Every structure is written in structure tokens, then in C-alpha cells.
Amino acid sequence: MSTTVEEQKQQKAFGWAATDQSGTLSPFNFSRRENGDEDVTLKILYCGVCHSDLHVLKNEWGFTSYPVVPGHEIVGVATKVGKNVTNFKVGDRVGVGVLVGSCKTCECCQQDLENYCPQIIFTFNSYNPDGTKTYGGYSDMIVVDQRYVLRFPDNLPLDAGAPLLCAGITVYSSMKYYGMTEAGKHLGVAGLGGLGHVAVKIAKAFGLKVTVISSSPDKESEAINRLEADSFLLSSDPAKMKSAIGSMDYIIDTVSAAHPLLPLLSVLKVNGKLVTVGLPNKPLELPVFPLVFGRKLVGGSDVGGMKETQEMLDFCAKHNIAADIELIRMDEINTAMERLAKSDVRYRFVIDVGNSLSQ
Amino acid sequence: MTGLSEEVRPNKAFGWAAIDTSGVLSPFKFSTRGTGEKDVAFKVLYCGICHSDLHMIKNDWGSSIYPLVPGHEVVGEVTEVGSKVQKFKVGDRVGVGCMVGSCRSCDNCTNNLENYCPEMIFTYGAKYYDGTVTYGGYSNTMVVDEHFVVGIPENLPLDAAAPLLCAGITVYSPLRFYGLDKPGLHVGVVGLGGLGHLAVKFAKAMGTKVTVISTSPSKQKEALENLGADSFLVSRDQDQLRAAIGTFDGIVDTVSAQHPLLPLLGLLKSHGKLVVLGIPEKPLELPAFPLIQGRKLVGGSMTGGMKETQEMIDFAAEHGIKADTEVIAMDYVNAAMDRLLKGDVKYRFVIDIGNTLKSIS
């Protein structure tokens, strides 16, 4: 786009934003660009509340630019499509995840790995090439380049499907990349929250044996009865951890609080893989001995590219996988954030934007 | 030695052993077992000195059994083969690396990963099936199960081949396993010692572009002119580090001292791989953001299985890869250990066993 910020047409938008490090959200008027030739405009119906929203609201990672409108698990209905848009039409159920832009020309973008593009533009708290800020899904509408819009399958519920756009792709992509999808193999899921519970469901759909690893004994019943994990490993019980040594092929570590890696590495078999997708504030402690003596690895992964995100949505639709959610009104968001900070949610809050966001 | 051991080990042998945690080595008489039907007996000609030998003679890892005859980079000439031995005959040039036994039936063993078998038996300082302790290559003769012996092609000089049996396989295996062996990839090698110098040679032979990453600017000439590295990066130089951000497909880290991983992770492109081979005393700090935001990984590796070790030796022979060695007499070994502790060797001591290990009367 060659127009300057002043020349580019803007349209009114409304949402909830935080204006300082307290992270308290309140009604906020702002503007978005008009729908361009490549764009799709969504009327937002639901938006998942990701823990990253909370980290950014409170500037816990140190790069928040206020005012910030969070939200990157966005689903809605297309209300406008630009003249170059071929894959979407007005009325389509659509979603937007963690990114709304990338350079489109680098190696990563060419390999459908836009999420690793060095010039990635995040859905919120980021900057467009024209200098305007990006605002996320705690708002009434959003305008996004078609490349970063997803088609929401018909049989995926919009509200419970929203969290797949970040939590779902995060675990799906890491499992595919690290080759953790072989039926019959044994996967450990460390942490049972937004990411963890979706990991259990997706892993079961791949035919894996799944053990939930958690420090809270009261999650055992949840894990086995509600989420249908095959077993539960209490990480705070040294005897149980000892008997699990060398029993798992892979572990997805969704825990973002600081925690020791050695116990998890010990549970892996030789050639085992530990993939970390939680984003802890501080560095982790990495004992090298188990890596060397067992040829184990620790890798990271960060959401997924657009092609893979679509593939993930279609996979979840096919296997009837959606998140376990608690639907909230927009004006309940601050209370929800307080509860989220204490992990008091099973397992994702989703804001009923369509029915509860009003001026 | 009990009566039982003498029955089990009828053949007299001699070597040099450490007898306590001072690690000082001295002449030592012992016995090897007879040549069983699957065994290969050979006269030791050369033995490389691995830094692990130094750790073991001083009991740094707490597992040493004294008297300890070190040495797991052993080459020699076959003197006798058992009746069921198929791959070797008398006179063949052979080598033995870090292990002399494994269970042969677990998943790892059946996948040619004997080095990861939970019942793997180290070449020295370990309990063997017959209840005896294994003695390594600082000795005149060894008897090893055929499965754990490799052949050394004629065109590889024995003294320069010895270090391949531990250092060589230790760097070759992860270059293959982590896919850092494709022509055109950019591979970094951190640390220029026994492991590092061979990592450079193998990576170059595999067609990758190699950069040596070191804290010492003085190693640059060596790296570029002697070892054939394509470039050199001084890791203490912030400007050089910054200019190289996101330019490496993989990095092989041979350093065992404590050191920060963050700068190395920053050097990797997205989807890059950091392979750690050295074992520091304490855990290292692993910042999660660079791993996650670039889908990078940190992985380990330890020696290699027998099939891959033979493959590595054949590859080295084909590409003319030899270790850079300082050949020493047996009685220099204690001085060599002192120098090794200070990293004062380019890049591996190799003991000329055949010519300098004198029998003990």
C-alpha cells in the first residue's frame, strides 16, 4: 500500500484495551484501515483469552506498547472481501490467529512458515508497514489480508473452536515438526491448561498413548475421566517419577512457570524429545548430561504457518476436537484475567464478543 | 585377583594403569581372557588419549574402578581369531572404541545403537560378563568380541586413525543424525580441540561451509589454513557475533566448560540446531524464547553404534580424514596428561604402544 497514514482511509472500531501495566481493560474507541483489495473484514463473534494476552497486558515480556487491545483467537463472519480475494465470500465463517502479516518473500514465507518470518506482524501489539498499530480480537471487527485469514469448518463450533487458533496450532505444529505423531508411541503432556488439554485431545486423535504430567493431584480425575488421557503422572511424587524413568517417547511441555527440566528429561526414552511451548520469563536450567547420554533433545515451537493452521482446523473438525471453554461476557474480562492468573479455568475463557460487546 | 579371575583370564598382558585418584599412571601387569569363539585378539599398536581418560584416572565422575587401564581409541593388528569370527583374520588392521559389550537384544541394540544400550559395557573400567573388569588400550594386547571391532582400511595410517574411534565417531554421528551433513549448509564448530578439529574436517568433507567459533583469536590461522575451515568467529567479539546472527544452520558445541548458550542460539537461523557434546559440571542456562520463536533445538549425542563407527572409518579413509596428533612414548603419558589438562596439544596425543610400551619383567 502506497498511501500514507493520513491519506489511508480509516474506519471506526470499538473494543476493550489496557492503557497501562495494571493490565486492566476498559472500553476503547480506535480505528482500523478500510477493507483493501486483498482484505477480508470480519465481524467478530468470539475471541479466546490466551495466557499470552495476560502477559502482554501487564508488560511481563517488556515490549508492550499501550494502549493494547489483545486477542488472537478470533472467529467471526466475513462482512466484506476485497476484489482480489478469491477464497472467501461474504457470510463465510472465518478465523484469525496469531499473525496478520509477514514479508511474503523470505525463505520462511515461501515455505508456508510465515510465523517464523523475521518481519512477522502479530495480530496485536505489533506495527503494520504503514506505522499503524495492530489491535486484536477483543473488538467488534477486524480487517486482515486474506493470506492470514482461515476458513472455519462448518462442523467446528465457533466458540469452542476459537482457542484452536493459538492453542491448537501451537501443539499441532510442534507435534508434526518434531515427528511426534506415530500411533502407539507414548507422549507426555506437562501442564494441563489451555495448551495442555488441547494437546491431549490432538494426541489421542493421532493414536498416541498419552500421559498427563502435572504437579496437582486433583487434575488426575480431569485428565483421565474428562479428557481421556491414558494415564497420569504426579510430578511432585519422587517415587512415581522414578518409576516412570525412560518410559516416554516425547513430551510437550506447556508449563510457562519456571520449572526444572531434569525430571522431564529423565522420563524420556533414549532419543526422546522434549518440546517446550510455554514461554517462561526466565531461562530454564538445562542439564546437558541426559542430552548427551541419551541423545535427547529440547526444542521449541511457535504456533504455525497459515497452511498448517488451516490443516489443523480441518483435522480438528474431522476428529471433533474443540477446546473446553468457559464463555464470558466482555465486561467480565478483568475478573477472568484475575482467575487466569491463578489458572482457575477449565481450560480457556472465550469472550462472547458478538453478544456482549457494546458501546 | 582371585582364583576365579585367573581361570577366566589365562593370558598375561601388561600396560600402564592408574591406581588411585592422583591419576598417576605406572606399569601394571594383568591378564586378558582367552580368545573365545567370537573374539578377536590383537596386538595394540597405538592408542589415543581422550579427555575422558583424564577424567577417569582422577575419578572426576565418581565411577572409576582402580587399578584403571585407560584407552578407548585403540588400533592394532589381529593376532588370533575365534572359530566363529567372520569379519577378521590374523594380520588385519583393526580398531576398538568406547565399548566392548552390550545386551544385543534391546531396541537400541537391534537398531545399531549399542552405545545407548542400558547394559553397554565400556572398554575400560567396567564390569564384563565374566565378572572381570575391562582394561583399555594403554596395554600391549586386547581381546574383544568381533561385534565391537572395526576394520581400518589400508590407506588410513594407524596412528592418525586411532582418535577417530572416539573423537571421530562422537562428531560424525550427530552431524548425520541432526542432518547437518548436507552440502551447502552452514555449520559452526565451537571449541577447537580433539573433538572440534575433527568436526571441522568431517563437516568440510560432507560439503558444508564451516565456521570455527572460538574465544581465542590466536586459533584463527590454524582453523583456516591447517584445518580448512571457511571462516572464523571470535565469540567474545560482540560486533562479529552481531554480524553473524541468524546465519548458521547448525552448531556443534564441543566445549565442556560452563558457557552461555544464548549467543549460540542467536547465531542459528530459524529451525537451526545446536548440538552439545561436551558435558559441563553444572546445568547450562537455556533461554526458552529463542528456542520457541525460531523453532530451534538443543540436542546431545554420545559416540555412535558399531555400524556407524565402521561407516565413519570408511568415510574418513575415502576422504583422507586423519586426526592431527602428537605421537608420544608410553613413559611420557603422565606429562601428556598434565598438558592435556591445560589444553596444550594439537589436537590429540597418541601413544606409540607398539614401539614404546616395554614389557614388565
Side-chain angles (χ1 to χ4, degrees):
Chain A
M1 295 207 253
S2 53
T3 48
T4 63
V5 178
E6 297 91 287
E7 290 166 3
Q8 195 172 34
K9 289 213 192 104
Q10 298 279 303
Q11 55 178 318
K12 286 200 197 334
F14 172 71
W16 279 48
T19 52
D20 59 39
Q21 288 191 167
S22 70
T24 306
L25 292 142
S26 56
F28 176 68
N29 288 296
F30 61 102
S31 57
R32 295 196 187 273
R33 66 174 183 269
E34 290 283 357
N35 202 79
D37 295 341
E38 300 290 330
D39 288 335
V40 175
T41 296
L42 281 76
K43 172 177 157 57
I44 298 175
L45 296 174
Y46 298 98
C47 187
V49 178
C50 177
H51 206 125
S52 305
D53 297 351
L54 181 53
H55 287 306
V56 172
L57 283 176
K58 296 196 173 232
N59 196 20
E60 283 170 10
W61 292 331
F63 55 79
T64 303
S65 167
Y66 295 99
V68 58
V69 175
H72 58 205
E73 295 180 339
I74 307 170
V75 294
V77 161
T79 54
K80 276 198 197 118
V81 297
K83 70 181 203 305
N84 292 341
V85 173
T86 47
N87 290 331
F88 303 100
K89 58 185 194 307
V90 171
D92 279 351
R93 295 148 56 92
V94 287
V96 172
V98 173
L99 56 147
V100 293
S102 67
C103 82
K104 299 189 186 176
T105 53
C106 70
E107 251 187 77
C108 287
C109 286
Q110 286 178 27
Q111 290 172 26
D112 299 312
L113 294 168
E114 301 92 338
N115 50 320
Y116 296 109
C117 170
Q119 296 183 59
I120 186 176
I121 300 172
F122 295 110
T123 302
F124 68 92
N125 194 42
S126 215
Y127 287 93
N128 290 309
D130 62 9
T132 55
K133 219 193 303 207
T134 57
Y135 294 113
Y138 295 15
S139 60
D140 57 353
M141 55 83 88
I142 189 168
V143 179
V144 180
D145 180 312
Q146 62 171 326
R147 182 169 172 158
Y148 310 95
V149 178
L150 297 140
R151 191 185 54 253
F152 222 74
D154 285 336
N155 65 318
L156 255 188
L158 286 177
D159 53 358
L164 296 176
L165 292 162
C166 177
I169 184 58
T170 295
V171 300
Y172 182 89
S173 183
S174 53
M175 289 174 68
K176 300 261 340 226
Y177 180 69
Y178 287 99
M180 297 156 71
T181 59
E182 209 182 309
K185 297 274 191 188
H186 188 181
L187 169 75
V189 177
L192 199 61
L195 288 179
H197 90 289
V198 173
V200 174
K201 297 186 186 206
I202 290 180
K204 292 300 297 171
F206 277 124
L208 297 169
K209 172 180 164 187
V210 179
T211 295
V212 168
I213 306 168
S214 170
S215 53
S216 326
D218 49 313
K219 294 208 170 173
E220 178 164 6
S221 169
E222 274 288 310
I224 308 277
N225 300 326
R226 181 167 157 171
L227 296 170
E228 296 180 355
D230 296 281
S231 57
F232 182 85
L233 177 58
L234 186 61
S235 52
S236 46
D237 183 332
K240 298 239 163 69
M241 288 299 281
K242 193 164 173 210
S243 64
I245 283 175
S247 64
M248 297 187 195
D249 296 284
Y250 339 104
I251 292 176
I252 289 193
D253 185 359
T254 73
V255 177
S256 56
H259 60 288
L261 289 183
L262 180 58
L264 294 177
L265 289 171
S266 306
V267 165
L268 286 173
K269 295 177 186 173
V270 165
N271 292 319
K273 302 172 190 177
L274 172 69
V275 180
T276 176
V277 291
L279 285 162
N281 287 355
K282 298 196 182 55
L284 298 164
E285 231 182 47
L286 177 69
V288 173
F289 195 90
L291 292 193
V292 168
F293 275 72
R295 196 160 68 175
K296 300 178 184 178
L297 66 85
V298 177
S301 190
D302 192 10
V303 299
M306 301 319 303
K307 183 163 175 246
E308 193 174 37
T309 307
Q310 187 66 64
E311 178 189 301
M312 176 278 304
L313 285 175
D314 297 337
F315 177 91
C316 287
K318 181 174 163 194
H319 293 274
N320 291 313
I321 294 171
D324 291 4
I325 65 167
E326 185 176 326
L327 202 57
I328 59 166
R329 291 192 321 269
M330 189 75 244
D331 60 13
E332 293 175 314
I333 186 62
N334 289 311
T335 310
M337 286 299 182
E338 282 167 27
R339 286 178 52 200
L340 179 58
K342 291 178 279 184
S343 300
D344 174 24
V345 56
R346 277 181 170 69
Y347 287 101
R348 247 329 189 234
F349 289 113
V350 173
I351 307 169
D352 186 353
V353 177
N355 289 320
S356 69
L357 176 68
S358 50
Q359 292 270 12
Chain B
M1 296 219 258
T2 66
L4 178 63
S5 299
E6 280 168 23
E7 282 161 26
V8 167
R9 305 216 268 200
N11 296 335
K12 292 205 192 322
F14 54 90
W16 280 45
I19 53 169
D20 58 36
T21 57
S22 72
V24 170
L25 294 142
S26 55
F28 174 69
K29 282 196 270 200
F30 61 100
S31 307
T32 65
R33 65 174 185 272
T35 307
E37 56 186 12
K38 293 197 184 156
D39 285 334
V40 172
F42 62 97
K43 166 181 155 65
V44 178
L45 294 174
Y46 295 96
C47 186
I49 298 184
C50 177
H51 207 122
S52 305
D53 298 349
L54 181 51
H55 286 303
M56 286 295 283
I57 57 181
K58 296 193 178 229
N59 198 21
D60 285 349
W61 295 330
S63 60
S64 301
I65 303 174
Y66 296 103
L68 185 82
V69 176
H72 59 204
E73 296 183 332
V74 198
V75 296
E77 193 181 287
V78 178
T79 52
E80 192 184 351
V81 295
S83 57
K84 292 199 172 148
V85 168
Q86 305 194 315
K87 289 190 288 184
F88 303 104
K89 59 186 191 307
V90 172
D92 280 352
R93 304 154 102 242
V94 292
V96 168
C98 302
M99 52 183 175
V100 292
S102 71
C103 83
R104 312 290 298 277
S105 57
C106 68
D107 271 352
N108 291 311
C109 286
T110 48
N111 285 312
N112 299 308
L113 294 171
E114 301 91 341
N115 49 323
Y116 297 111
C117 169
E119 292 173 35
M120 183 268 285
I121 299 175
F122 288 112
T123 299
Y124 66 86
K127 281 267 163 59
Y128 200 66
Y129 304 115
D130 55 10
T132 61
V133 169
T134 54
Y135 293 123
Y138 293 18
S139 59
N140 68 321
T141 178
M142 285 183 77
V143 180
V144 177
D145 183 311
E146 169 185 36
H147 187 81
F148 299 93
V149 178
V150 294
I152 312 276
E154 289 294 325
N155 65 320
L156 259 188
L158 284 180
D159 55 345
L164 298 178
L165 291 158
C166 178
I169 184 60
T170 296
V171 299
Y172 179 91
S173 185
L175 285 170
R176 292 284 192 216
F177 182 69
Y178 290 100
L180 299 179
D181 56 347
K182 317 263 177 297
L185 292 185
H186 184 193
V187 176
V189 176
V190 185
L192 207 56
L195 291 180
H197 90 288
L198 283 174
V200 173
K201 297 188 184 205
F202 276 109
K204 284 300 298 169
M206 290 168 179
T208 62
K209 172 183 157 183
V210 177
T211 296
V212 168
I213 302 166
S214 170
T215 52
S216 329
S218 56
K219 296 197 175 180
Q220 175 158 341
K221 195 162 184 295
E222 261 293 302
L224 299 177
E225 292 176 20
N226 181 25
L227 298 173
D230 296 280
S231 55
F232 188 88
L233 176 62
V234 180
S235 50
R236 292 200 172 127
D237 183 326
Q238 294 303 319
D239 291 331
Q240 284 191 29
L241 272 182
R242 211 171 305 131
I245 281 176
T247 59
F248 288 79
D249 295 285
I251 293 175
V252 177
D253 185 357
T254 72
V255 173
S256 52
Q258 298 294 125
H259 59 290
L261 292 183
L262 181 59
L264 299 177
L265 291 172
L267 290 175
L268 291 172
K269 297 176 187 175
S270 75
H271 300 86
K273 301 165 188 177
L274 173 60
V275 181
V276 289
L277 300 176
I279 309 176
E281 271 183 34
K282 299 196 188 59
L284 297 178
E285 238 183 41
L286 178 66
F289 264 78
L291 277 198
I292 290 169
Q293 288 185 318
R295 195 146 70 175
K296 301 176 185 180
L297 65 86
V298 180
S301 186
M302 181 181 70
T303 63
M306 293 319 303
K307 182 162 178 259
E308 193 172 38
T309 303
Q310 184 68 67
E311 178 191 298
M312 174 278 304
I313 292 280
D314 296 338
F315 181 93
E318 189 189 329
H319 293 271
I321 296 173
K322 303 180 283 239
D324 289 8
T325 64
E326 182 175 329
V327 180
I328 61 163
M330 187 75 243
D331 59 12
Y332 187 74
V333 71
N334 289 309
M337 288 298 186
D338 288 340
R339 285 178 53 198
L340 179 58
L341 189 58
K342 293 178 273 181
D344 174 23
V345 54
K346 280 187 171 63
Y347 289 99
R348 232 8 176 213
F349 289 113
V350 171
I351 309 169
D352 183 354
I353 301 276
N355 291 319
T356 68
L357 175 62
K358 306 276 181 285
S359 69
I360 304 153
S361 50

